[in-house]
Amino acid sequence: MIVITNPSAIANEISLIDSLFEEGLSLLHIRKPVFSEIEMVEFIKQIKLEYRSNLVLHNHHQLAEDSGINRIHFSEKDRKNSFLVNPDQKIFSTSTHSIEDFNSLENFDYAFLSPVFSSISKEDYHPKENLFEALKSRTNNKTKVIALGGINSENIKKTLENGFDNVALLGTIWNHKNPIKQFKLCHKIVLSHSL
């Protein structure tokens, strides 16, 4: 299961991140669009070294190598304006918002497809189409498709049963009064589905 950091700072964020990993988090996408390069370095340094291989950088990609991170995420805009350097040495992910964009991907290990449901963290961010129906026309089987947008404990099972390979959580974790408890509940549902 994937968790994306809240774009802005959260109280006790590093402690919560370490706890998420201790509870079985697979990947943490670090999405801090307003962080300077220095702030990003400081943020990464605070996360336990043993979890570096589970971190994914959304920006300041140049910091990856020196930070021991081999996972890079490209926004839709960045993907269209970038050339993937050394695709064999890194694990690449990206964001898509239509099945057509997802189907056209090359050299990406996985991609977010969103929004599946109305967003928990972004106001007025709703699905433009039924992505469960759209997934029926999936032709790209090299790239894993990850559901994003409005994913919570009540709809994870439905999401995985309708063709998504995995889910990414943001609002359901960081907007919850007990992020760890919420993560454990969601993680349990994902694990039970994969059995």
Side-chain angles (χ1 to χ4, degrees), residues 16-181:
L16 287 168
I17 287 169
D18 286 341
S19 295
L20 289 171
F21 280 122
E22 286 163 15
E23 293 296 339
L25 176 61
S26 302
L27 294 175
L28 178 76
H29 276 243
I30 301 176
R31 184 176 170 271
K32 297 286 186 183
V34 298
F35 269 22
S36 68
E37 191 171 319
I38 292 167
E39 288 170 316
M40 184 64 79
V41 167
E42 286 307 308
F43 186 83
I44 293 166
K45 275 186 185 175
Q46 293 177 70
I47 298 170
K48 289 182 181 174
L49 195 57
E50 65 201 80
Y51 302 130
R52 291 284 168 84
S53 63
N54 304 87
L55 301 178
V56 184
L57 278 183
H58 276 234
N59 52 355
H60 301 298
H61 295 162
Q62 70 280 9
L63 299 174
E65 203 160 323
D66 289 343
S67 302
I69 296 171
N70 70 341
R71 297 172 180 273
I72 304 290
H73 185 87
F74 289 88
S75 68
E76 190 171 37
K77 180 181 165 197
D78 288 343
R79 179 182 76 244
K80 292 177 178 177
N81 298 322
S82 297
F83 174 72
L84 301 187
V85 181
N86 297 325
D88 296 335
Q89 297 175 10
K90 298 263 187 276
I91 297 167
F92 293 114
S93 60
T94 190
S95 299
T96 60
H97 300 92
S98 73
I99 194 65
E100 292 78 21
D101 280 349
F102 176 82
N103 283 334
S104 70
L105 294 176
E106 293 178 22
N107 299 320
F108 286 94
D109 296 273
Y110 62 94
F112 297 142
L113 181 57
S114 70
V116 179
F117 303 101
S118 293
S119 176
I120 299 166
S121 59
K122 292 181 183 175
E123 257 186 64
D124 296 323
Y125 189 53
H126 309 287
K128 292 185 175 86
E129 64 178 318
N130 181 330
L131 291 179
F132 297 141
E133 281 301 311
L135 264 186
K136 292 176 182 174
S137 59
R138 176 183 180 179
T139 57
N140 179 351
N141 293 310
K142 291 181 182 175
T143 306
K144 289 188 176 177
V145 60
I146 312 299
L148 176 64
I151 309 295
N152 61 37
S153 60
E154 292 167 14
N155 60 30
I156 287 175
K157 189 173 182 220
K158 176 183 178 181
T159 303
L160 296 173
E161 287 172 348
N162 279 278
F164 282 92
D165 296 311
N166 204 341
V167 295
L169 309 176
L170 197 164
T172 196
I173 299 297
W174 304 113
N175 292 0
H176 197 274
K177 63 180 188 243
N178 189 333
I180 304 305
K181 184 178 178 184

